[in-house]
Amino acid sequence: MKKTGLKTLVTVNSRAVGAQSAAQRSAWFEPSVHSTYYQVFSRLLASRSLAAPRPFVGQARLLPLLDFLPPLDSINAPGAPDAGVDVGCAVPAMAHGPMGMAAISSASVWHAMQTIARYAPVRNRMFDYHCSRAQGQAGLVISPRMPLGGYAGFLQNATLHTIFNIFRSIVDEAALRDATIGLPWPPSEASCRPVPGEPWRTQYGSPNLVIRFEGSVVDRPLETSDADLHRRLCRASDEELIKLSGNVSAKVRHLIQLAEPEWPTLVDVAQALGLSRRTLVRRLDCEGNRYQDLLDETRNELACWYLRQTSHSLSEIAERIGFSDQGNFARGFRRWHGLTPSEYRRRFWPAVSSRADES
């Protein structure tokens, strides 16, 4: 039998899934998951003596899914989708910010479902959310809005249980016993094991990822209801939605990504947005950002993508992301991550990295 090197296999596989990888790369650069969840996930890994990622620093904001891949891979998330349940259950309701507190202070479970469906994108834009009522039940349906690749099962489990934690904090034991979690996949050997403290039902092979409660429960007044607090929290959440839709920093990141590898100047981006250079600088400053920082973040994220997903040499990657030579790239990458590009790649492609780095 002809022996095929791992590098060749990776190259062939990359071609086979080229279109899918391109779509994933575009989506995974999009700001999608709030930095608070990154911090919670990091603390969870550290508490279990696992390799925690470098702590998030900077203004709280939505991060691209690409930033979450190193910690996800450290626990083999693609190979352990049920581990997403543990991660989701570890996220407290308070971690959802105004959205979570607005749901808790809602008038009823149905009202909380509507609140979550409206404001969840402020914290997690990997999914779309909508409410439905049928056959005596009310449900919150959660649908992926971007390709999640091999991480889909883990991320769906984590997201569903993160949100379900909110309902667990506002309903009684009887309502939980009648609740159903719908999962659109068959059961695994691990998921079939009974989990202590879970009185709700799990429906495998569900048409959707969904949280359902009986119709007789969802309209009852909640003990945690606070109409005045709810109104104030909804106003705060509405402001966050407005910021997301009009966020100049997010638009600048998107334009930079579209232009890769011909990185645009500040003037180029200002013209594309119909703004003067001075106005763009001022608006970015109001959002706590600088153009060079956004450009560096994008180049950093792209470097991580190439190191993880391709067998390109370091010199080729350096050229693709706009460094004059491999040495400058290595110094910049160490400044971003605290380790060299070769060390970063070795974590994910140990058999490939030495060959790719040499070529």
Side-chain angles (χ1 to χ4, degrees):
M1 180 180 293
K2 183 178 181 181
K3 185 177 179 181
T4 304
L6 181 57
K7 182 175 179 180
T8 302
L9 287 175
V10 171
T11 303
V12 171
N13 185 59
S14 297
R15 291 170 180 166
V17 297
Q20 181 182 8
S21 296
Q24 284 182 357
R25 193 184 82 173
S26 176
W28 291 1
F29 272 99
E30 179 184 338
S32 303
V33 190
H34 201 272
S35 55
T36 299
Y37 300 142
Y38 185 94
Q39 293 169 321
V40 172
F41 191 21
S42 297
R43 288 196 295 269
L44 178 63
L45 292 179
S47 70
R48 299 187 178 184
S49 301
L50 296 171
R54 300 185 75 192
F56 171 79
V57 293
Q59 185 182 36
R61 61 180 176 87
L62 290 175
L63 300 175
L65 178 57
L66 191 66
D67 285 4
F68 285 77
L69 299 191
L72 288 175
D73 282 332
S74 74
I75 60 171
N76 187 28
D82 293 323
V85 177
D86 293 334
V87 172
C89 290
V91 178
M94 292 295 293
H96 301 297
M99 181 273 286
M101 293 306 299
I104 290 172
S105 60
S106 297
S108 64
V109 171
W110 177 245
H111 190 205
M113 285 183 173
Q114 294 175 310
T115 300
I116 292 171
R118 176 170 175 77
Y119 298 122
V122 171
R123 313 294 279 193
N124 182 339
R125 296 176 66 83
M126 293 186 294
F127 298 89
D128 289 321
Y129 312 82
H130 75 271
C131 302
S132 66
R133 297 188 79 152
Q135 299 177 341
Q137 291 186 321
L140 176 66
V141 180
I142 305 169
S143 308
R145 59 175 292 271
M146 56 191 282
L148 301 175
Y151 303 91
F154 180 95
L155 293 171
Q156 288 181 88
N157 265 323
T159 297
L160 182 139
H161 284 275
T162 294
I163 292 175
F164 193 58
N165 260 0
I166 299 176
F167 293 109
R168 292 174 66 182
S169 69
I170 61 178
V171 302
D172 58 24
E173 192 74 11
L176 278 179
R177 282 197 298 271
D178 290 333
T180 301
I181 285 178
L183 304 175
W185 54 74
S188 66
E189 183 178 345
S191 63
C192 285
R193 301 189 187 114
V195 179
E198 285 194 5
W200 54 86
R201 298 186 295 267
T202 300
Q203 176 194 357
Y204 292 97
S206 168
N208 308 101
L209 192 69
V210 63
I211 298 169
R212 287 195 297 267
F213 285 91
E214 295 298 319
S216 58
V217 169
V218 295
D219 294 320
R220 294 177 191 167
L222 293 173
E223 294 181 0
T224 55
S225 175
D226 186 325
D228 182 60
L229 176 62
H230 181 80
R231 281 193 295 272
R232 287 188 280 118
L233 290 166
C234 284
R235 281 198 295 270
S237 298
D238 281 327
E239 289 175 3
E240 289 296 317
L241 284 175
I242 292 170
K243 287 179 183 178
L244 281 177
S245 61
N247 186 288
V248 172
S249 298
K251 294 176 181 178
V252 169
R253 285 190 184 94
H254 182 62
L255 288 172
I256 291 173
Q257 292 160 12
L258 289 178
E260 178 266 320
E262 301 296 330
W263 304 112
T265 65
L266 175 62
V267 173
D268 293 333
V269 173
Q271 290 175 345
L273 293 174
L275 303 172
S276 69
R277 179 185 182 280
R278 181 175 299 177
T279 298
L280 177 57
V281 170
R282 185 175 65 251
R283 292 182 65 174
L284 287 174
D285 185 62
C286 289
E287 296 176 4
N289 285 309
R290 297 187 309 130
Y291 178 76
Q292 187 61 47
D293 293 338
L294 297 179
L295 179 60
D296 287 345
E297 284 178 10
T298 303
R299 294 167 75 192
N300 169 26
E301 291 161 1
L302 187 61
C304 291
W305 173 269
Y306 282 129
L307 289 168
R308 292 166 53 85
Q309 303 293 333
T310 76
S311 58
H312 295 326
S313 68
L314 295 188
S315 58
E316 185 176 358
I317 294 173
E319 181 180 356
R320 284 172 177 259
I321 64 173
F323 280 92
S324 57
D325 56 55
Q326 184 176 323
N328 283 331
F329 169 50
R331 285 189 288 274
F333 195 88
R334 180 184 284 278
R335 188 169 61 250
W336 290 329
H337 294 278
L339 70 169
T340 68
S342 296
E343 290 168 340
Y344 181 91
R345 170 177 262 168
R346 201 169 293 122
R347 293 184 177 185
F348 308 104
W349 298 99
V352 173
S353 58
S354 60
R355 300 176 190 170
D357 296 348
E358 292 168 0
S359 59

